[in-house]
Amino acid sequence: MFLAVNRLAAAPGAAAALLVAVTVPVAVLGYTATLAASSETTLAAKVGVQIGAERALVSIDRVTPTAGTDAVGTVLDRYEGTVELDDSRTDVQVLAVDPATFAGTAFWDDSFADVPLDDLVTRLTGPADGGRLPVVATGLPRGPVDLRLGTLPVEAEVAGTARVLPGRRLAQPVVLVAADRLPDVPSSAGADRRSELWTDGPAGPAVEALTEAGGRLARTLEPADVLTTANFLGISWTFGYLSALAVFVGVIAAAGLLLHLESRSRSRVAGYVMARRLGLSRRSHLASLVVELGAVAGAGLVLGALLAVGAVALVYRRLDVDLLRPPTPLLDVPWTAIGLTVAVALLVAVLTARYAQAAADRADPSAVLREEA
């Protein structure tokens, strides 16, 4: 430890330059990796919210839930509705869901609400306060609400709210209601009912279950087309370029470690020779090299991480890959990439220390002492 501290203190300028060489690639790589991972997570969440699950099968005919549909996902009916809000009628999407299967299939992220989706769905089965049907909504305040499905009035009360609910495909509030408690909505009401089967499994069994339940497949909503949008590709390519640049800078930093050692190799080897005569073991010298370089690498990792955290905190909420779809940007820390960066940095420090130790072992003590004299 003494030797490591003494060598760093003897050349503060070189140590500072080496610290910067380690800090910069760590900061750039941490920044780009976090933003890329967050963008991917955010886009996946947007797709999940729009579709409702991994895929949604839309039926022309009404689908009646059966054991077969329950086995592959959840059945719901989507209605066009309105609510009285701020002295005017506001369009809403009303999803009549099956409380027994909805939460187990629908896409959900804990950032969507202050309570789990299971808790929100449970409120749909609660008592009807004053004869009002309990609903869960996004974009509406809690309390009584004048809901209409087309022209059919439904007295309802918002028993729970969320910032985002699965199945939101338009810039309108979404209302969840238990299908078995919703009054019959005749076609004359003009609510434009559409039945859907949401599933997280393969399409084949879901299509079969939909058909057996009386449905007639009109279309299937899949995430693949949305995930390959040009907007996201452009962002991913940018972050990919920056990540590659950070790796390149990291290679330069590794070369900098070697140059740092080579620039002081003569005095280092001379000190090693004298220390060996005073009883310093090869193992102790190697340990001092590891501590010296490991300390610089560790400090660079910490400083780089702090810079990356600060930069990400400033910009990640502004990098929305799709402004039209909720949710807002989600933060996803790429712990695997971070762990790999730490491991590589420390491995490079150890390998560089072993290289320096091998160079010192190969040196001719007599020649080194004559050159120093």
Side-chain angles (χ1 to χ4, degrees):
M1 178 67 74
F2 171 77
L3 289 175
V5 174
N6 186 61
R7 282 195 293 262
L8 290 174
L18 188 59
L19 179 62
V20 172
V22 175
T23 300
V24 170
V26 169
V28 174
L29 188 59
Y31 172 78
T32 57
T34 301
L35 289 187
S38 297
S39 296
E40 291 182 9
T41 299
T42 300
L43 185 65
K46 290 176 182 291
V47 173
V49 168
Q50 183 178 3
I51 296 176
E54 183 64 26
R55 57 179 48 85
L57 283 63
V58 181
S59 172
I60 298 175
D61 298 329
R62 187 161 198 164
V63 178
T64 302
T66 64
T69 59
D70 291 349
V72 298
T74 186
V75 171
L76 59 92
D77 290 325
R78 182 183 296 267
Y79 296 94
E80 302 291 339
T82 61
V83 295
E84 183 76 24
L85 189 63
D86 297 330
D87 298 326
S88 63
R89 304 299 301 183
T90 299
D91 292 336
V92 296
Q93 291 282 299
V94 180
L95 305 183
V97 304
D98 180 1
T101 58
F102 182 76
T105 303
F107 178 84
W108 187 255
D109 186 274
D110 289 340
S111 65
F112 291 175
D114 296 330
V115 296
L117 180 59
D118 285 325
D119 187 14
L120 292 175
V121 172
T122 300
R123 299 183 189 185
L124 301 179
T125 61
D129 188 9
R132 292 181 175 271
L133 197 64
V135 300
V136 171
T138 177
L140 299 178
R142 291 178 65 100
V145 61
D146 179 15
L147 174 66
R148 292 181 188 173
L149 302 185
T151 59
L152 178 68
V154 177
E155 294 298 319
E157 179 162 356
V158 179
T161 61
R163 289 176 286 275
V164 179
L165 285 173
R168 182 180 180 184
R169 297 173 189 161
L170 299 172
Q172 301 171 350
V174 175
V175 176
L176 300 184
V177 59
D180 58 357
R181 304 183 69 176
L182 189 68
D184 183 58
V185 183
S187 58
S188 59
D192 192 22
R193 180 201 52 78
R194 296 185 302 278
S195 289
E196 299 181 11
L197 173 60
W198 291 1
T199 179
D200 292 328
V207 172
E208 183 179 346
L210 177 80
T211 304
E212 292 177 352
R216 185 154 49 103
L217 184 63
R219 61 173 176 152
T220 300
L221 301 179
E222 300 271 1
D225 293 337
V226 183
L227 287 173
T228 55
T229 56
N231 286 341
F232 178 68
L233 287 178
I235 292 175
S236 63
W237 289 337
T238 300
F239 290 140
Y241 167 77
L242 292 176
S243 297
L245 180 63
V247 172
F248 177 70
V249 175
V251 172
I252 296 176
L257 285 175
L258 294 175
L259 291 176
H260 169 72
L261 293 174
E262 290 294 334
S263 66
R264 304 179 61 246
S265 61
R266 180 177 297 180
S267 60
R268 185 185 300 277
V269 173
Y272 174 56
V273 170
M274 294 298 296
R276 286 294 299 268
R277 291 177 177 269
L278 295 175
L280 178 70
S281 67
R282 179 181 181 278
R283 181 176 181 179
S284 297
H285 183 258
L286 175 60
S288 71
L289 290 172
V290 172
V291 170
E292 176 186 355
L293 298 178
V296 175
L301 287 170
V302 172
L303 289 177
L306 291 176
L307 290 174
V309 168
V312 168
L314 286 175
V315 304
Y316 93 93
R317 288 198 174 276
R318 303 179 184 180
L319 297 178
D320 198 335
V321 296
D322 189 339
L323 294 173
L324 300 178
R325 298 183 181 93
T328 56
L330 304 176
L331 181 62
D332 183 12
V333 180
W335 294 111
T336 300
I338 291 174
L340 183 61
T341 300
V342 172
V344 169
L346 296 180
L347 178 61
V348 168
V350 172
L351 292 178
T352 305
R354 292 184 66 87
Y355 168 80
Q357 180 63 49
D361 291 336
R362 288 194 305 267
D364 183 3
S366 300
V368 172
L369 293 177
R370 280 197 302 269
E371 290 175 2
E372 286 296 309

